[in-house]
Amino acid sequence: MDLGAHSSWWHSAVVYEVYPMSFYDADGDGVGDLRGILAKVDYIAHLGVDAVWLTPIYPSPWADNGYDVADYLSVHPAFGTLDDLYALRDALRARGIRLVLDLVFNHTSDEHPWFQAARLDPRSPFRDFYYFHPGIRGEGGERRPPNNWGSFFGGSAWTWDEQAQAYYLHLFDRKQPDLNWDHPPVRQALADIARTWLVRGVGGFRLDVINFIGKPWGLPDGRPEPGSAYAYNLDLLDREKVERYVGELYRAVKAQNPEAVMIGETPGVTLAEALRWTRPEAPILDMVISFDHVSFDGEEGNKWRPLPLDVGRFKEIWTRWQKGLSGRGWWAPYLGNHDQPRPASRYVRDGAYRAAGAVALHVLLFTAYGTPFLYQGEELGLPNAGFSSLDDYRDVESRNAARFFREAGMAEGEILALLGRRSRDNARVPIPWTDGPAGGFTRGIPWISPHPRAEELHVARQLADPGSLLAATRALIGLRRAFPAAAYGPFVPLEDVGGEAPPEVFAYLRPAVLAERFASNGADVGPSSEEGERKPSFRTSLVARPGTLLVLVNLSPAAAEVFVPAWLAAHDPEPVFCSRPAGGSVSSSGVFEHGVLWGARLPRGSAARSPGFCGGEGSCEFFAAETCLGRAARLGRATLSLDPYEARVYVLGGA
Ligand code: TEU
């Protein structure tokens, strides 16, 4: 499918996020490395992804696992050398996969030479690279930080520096001083770094917390968080600055290589901003990583005050973003990453259905509008690591939080339960490759405890099992490739065309209509009004072209009924993917778990773009789960019932 003037490779891409510390350790020092990733490129290629995003690989004191960069243009010795990175780039390229680097431009490490020079000498040309401030006097004459901003990792966002004789601003750890983007030489230096990486052949960038660079003029106090002295309100950010400065960087990168992708990580971004920042006619980013769907399950958005999972709310948010961006902007749908709990634990309410739930989640992800991001280990359905001792936690955020909770009088068991649910380390433990020691991740001692369920969920086992989540994930990525509407088609909830689905069932169409309209009229495509969506002419346009998808995903541990309007059922939808829980078993860790039965049937020739995808054969019949596909075939009835965590994808008008 051709997006015309606005078409780019990432519109049809799937991105795989690699966390190098925990992917694979080639040299046995217990920390994953670039040569480790190189050793596993065939595994990555086998997934069928188009790009690999590497979280930071630069020299760093590792106060925040590399998000504290001491040198933007080199490689941390623990990860290898620049030549190792080039070897990885080339090996990926040979398999049609681009390398995307993480640019952490909101802050540096305090050990970066810029900060070292700045703190030493008030007249240093680097002093204005950061936010230094003498502070203000409190009522008793004591020295205080200039405002009430809190650090996301605890305490004030200002630290007094003896050497500098001033406070400096750090929205994250004190070892991560924020850069001052109002100072033109900062923007110049950062653009130069990006350009250097382009010359070095990377395929684009993921820009860490890039909207945080828009600090409001005058650095005013914010509204303190309930029960806290500190403010974290992101609505204070100066959007005008974000547009100007990020737009400048975007254009500098595109001028050098229009093919390079610019992915913005933008905590707190609203749908309106996402639309504005990614509009095809004047973007400042190619896509945004948004946070609404990963902050709804904490009281007031606070991750440390978790709420019970509300799937209906999750569906509302997901649907709002999918529908809102359709044809107008671009999104980076994801369910997890190195900062979030594991999706299989977070979004699957009943642990007994974890396996089927994980497949259902991947149906959502790989039939989503935008560029799906899959984080390492999600293809295995790894649940949260959930350590049994506080000493096992490594993350600065978790350790600070644990200290804070202990001081506040929280019992050890309670703290463990909270971290087991929320810590970033839940998703940062090594990938289990085999059933060997440390899951085959290293021959040394791993830098963090291995996953407690490594033995049953490891890669080797899932590679050998055609019914595994790994196999299902691969089939779903293939399905996305075979049906471009899964990427480009507008997202039309079944309710908008006269259907009905309960709150915990995602039911939507992905019509094969968008591409040409996106190209010819980028700013205004997709359904216009709810009214119009029910009209016969609108319905006809939805199914006018072959390749329209109907997706049904039951994300609840109860059976559910979906009403499919007769006009839609009359289009004789053919099942191309289905999954549902199958029987039950007790896992080695004693957890009762339903297995999963799934099947996929893709059109002939659809494997063309991923070599080896169908085992070298022309047809793409994946897994003869006839009971599953056969059952799903009975869509003729207006009301159909779905099993707990059952998911189905139909194609209308012929595959
Ligand atoms: O994360 C940004 C971000 O918003 C996170 O701090 C998030 O709020 C937090 O992890 C939730 O607990 C990016 C990186 O992905 C993260 O790993 C870094 O720690 C952070 O920026 C600072 O660079």
Side-chain angles (χ1 to χ4, degrees):
M1 209 173 256
D2 182 16
L3 279 171
H6 298 299
S7 166
S8 301
W9 64 268
W10 58 83
H11 288 125
S12 59
V14 171
V15 178
Y16 187 61
E17 180 193 352
V18 171
Y19 198 68
M21 290 178 83
S22 296
F23 197 62
Y24 183 63
D25 174 23
D27 64 7
D29 66 355
V31 180
D33 42 43
L34 292 171
R35 285 200 298 115
I37 305 170
L38 185 63
K40 300 291 184 186
V41 277
D42 282 327
Y43 171 76
I44 296 173
H46 153 275
L47 292 171
V49 300
D50 306 271
V52 164
W53 150 34
L54 284 189
T55 59
I57 39 90
Y58 319 102
S60 159
W62 257 334
D64 183 20
N65 290 9
Y67 280 93
D68 46 325
V69 179
D71 173 359
Y72 290 103
L73 290 171
S74 307
V75 169
H76 195 298
F79 286 143
T81 64
L82 210 44
D83 281 338
D84 292 333
L85 187 68
Y86 293 155
L88 177 60
R89 173 202 63 194
D90 295 343
L92 289 171
R93 186 185 283 159
R95 290 159 181 80
I97 300 170
R98 299 180 204 236
L99 180 63
V100 171
L101 291 189
D102 208 319
L103 291 181
V104 190
F105 278 178
N106 173 69
H107 44 268
T108 66
S109 162
D110 66 338
E111 296 182 31
H112 193 288
W114 296 343
F115 190 77
Q116 295 289 320
R119 69 157 33 136
L120 263 183
D121 176 5
R123 287 175 314 271
S124 154
F126 295 106
R127 189 77 168 195
D128 285 339
F129 270 46
Y130 298 90
Y131 293 94
F132 285 101
H133 198 287
I136 54 174
R137 291 286 158 190
E139 275 157 26
E142 78 287 4
R143 191 171 53 217
R144 290 195 359 215
N147 68 24
N148 67 353
W149 296 0
S151 149
F152 290 103
F153 294 158
S156 169
W158 295 91
T159 289
W160 177 259
D161 189 74
E162 276 304 323
Q163 260 181 334
Q165 282 298 300
Y167 285 99
Y168 65 88
L169 177 68
H170 55 90
L171 294 184
F172 293 91
D173 190 67
R174 62 178 55 204
K175 286 186 69 65
Q176 294 168 292
D178 280 51
L179 283 164
N180 171 14
W181 281 57
D182 293 328
H183 187 51
V186 168
R187 306 198 305 265
Q188 183 66 43
L190 298 176
D192 284 346
I193 290 162
R195 278 189 288 250
T196 303
W197 280 115
L198 292 177
V199 171
R200 293 173 173 182
V202 308
F205 306 108
R206 178 263 192 190
L207 303 154
D208 191 61
V209 291
I210 198 64
N211 54 332
F212 286 11
I213 59 109
K215 313 291 190 287
W217 295 112
L219 310 177
D221 273 342
R223 175 178 29 84
E225 185 92 341
S228 156
Y230 300 115
Y232 302 90
N233 21 344
L234 301 177
D235 45 351
L236 272 184
L237 293 172
D238 185 324
R239 269 62 186 178
E240 200 263 325
K241 279 191 193 179
V242 174
E243 284 184 30
R244 192 144 41 95
Y245 300 158
V246 179
E248 209 176 275
L249 179 64
Y250 181 88
R251 288 184 294 273
V253 163
K254 296 289 170 165
Q256 184 156 323
N257 181 1
E259 286 270 283
V261 68
M262 294 283 277
I263 303 157
E265 193 218 17
T266 49
V269 66
T270 64
L271 177 57
E273 284 161 357
L275 283 165
R276 190 168 162 73
W277 295 347
T278 65
R279 62 192 193 277
E281 66 282 13
I284 62 160
L285 291 166
D286 293 319
M287 65 187 87
V288 296
I289 296 175
S290 69
F291 281 69
D292 283 359
H293 68 289
V294 292
S295 2
F296 73 103
D297 56 354
E299 242 173 86
E300 317 238 2
N302 184 333
K303 69 184 272 178
W304 299 116
R305 295 207 300 268
L307 296 167
L309 173 64
D310 180 347
V311 174
R313 182 88 190 99
F314 173 49
K315 177 179 144 183
E316 263 169 44
I317 296 169
W318 189 261
T319 302
R320 200 170 86 82
W321 279 80
Q322 287 281 280
K323 195 176 154 175
L325 283 170
S326 281
R328 301 183 175 92
W330 205 254
W331 197 33
Y334 69 98
L335 296 167
N337 58 36
H338 66 285
D339 291 335
Q340 301 294 334
R342 286 294 191 181
S345 295
R346 184 180 207 171
Y347 300 109
V348 180
R349 198 187 320 140
D350 184 338
Y353 288 100
R354 184 121 41 228
V359 178
L361 286 171
H362 282 187
V363 173
L364 269 194
L365 182 63
F366 294 114
T367 62
Y369 179 86
T371 303
F373 279 53
L374 181 74
Y375 174 55
Q376 68 181 40
E378 282 172 15
E379 72 275 25
L380 306 173
L382 297 178
N384 284 340
F387 296 133
S388 48
S389 158
L390 286 178
D391 292 337
D392 283 338
Y393 285 95
R394 296 281 171 272
D395 179 25
V396 58
E397 184 192 55
S398 298
R399 294 169 81 98
N400 288 352
R403 192 177 338 110
F404 176 83
F405 295 139
R406 201 182 288 120
E407 282 164 15
M410 198 186 272
E412 181 107 350
E414 240 180 295
I415 302 176
L416 268 174
L418 197 49
L419 291 189
R421 215 166 145 187
R422 293 305 206 178
S423 168
R424 303 195 295 184
D425 283 340
N426 281 310
R428 293 180 175 186
V429 298
I431 291 297
W433 293 96
T434 65
D435 56 8
F441 158 73
T442 177
R443 38 178 210 279
I445 296 166
W447 69 277
I448 188 170
S449 296
H451 200 286
R453 292 183 58 193
E455 251 177 68
E456 55 191 295
L457 293 168
H458 63 78
V459 172
R461 186 170 189 173
Q462 297 204 33
L463 278 176
D465 174 7
S468 65
L469 176 67
L470 176 57
T473 302
R474 203 170 153 246
L476 284 163
I477 293 175
L479 180 123
R480 187 176 181 84
R481 227 179 261 310
F483 300 105
Y488 308 120
F491 183 96
V492 182
L494 197 61
E495 286 93 337
D496 287 2
V497 292
E500 279 166 39
E504 300 195 332
V505 176
F506 293 66
Y508 48 93
L509 286 167
R510 305 299 315 282
V513 295
L514 187 65
E516 312 81 60
R517 298 169 73 191
F518 197 102
S520 62
N521 185 11
D524 180 28
V525 285
S528 48
S529 69
E530 305 267 321
E531 181 82 350
E533 286 157 15
R534 290 170 186 270
K535 285 188 183 154
S537 58
F538 177 71
R539 293 181 203 158
T540 311
S541 76
L542 291 184
V543 292
R545 296 174 55 113
T548 288
L549 299 179
L550 168 66
V551 184
L552 307 172
V553 177
N554 180 8
L555 222 53
S556 91
E561 303 234 301
V562 176
F563 175 72
V564 180
W567 69 268
L568 190 52
H571 280 271
D572 205 16
E574 183 192 332
V576 285
F577 185 94
C578 59
S579 70
R580 61 194 180 90
S585 61
V586 178
S587 75
S588 59
S589 51
V591 183
F592 177 81
E593 220 168 315
H594 280 280
V596 57
L597 177 68
W598 66 269
R601 193 186 283 132
L602 303 190
R604 281 176 186 280
S606 63
R609 284 187 50 209
S610 17
F613 189 68
C614 290
E617 289 153 37
S619 105
C620 274
E621 186 109 356
F622 279 97
F623 185 48
E626 275 314 320
T627 39
C628 177
L629 284 165
R631 215 176 88 101
R634 298 199 300 271
L635 184 66
R637 295 173 308 167
T639 301
L640 57 104
S641 67
L642 298 173
D643 280 342
Y645 291 102
E646 180 166 359
R648 301 182 192 175
V649 183
Y650 294 89
V651 61
L652 275 65

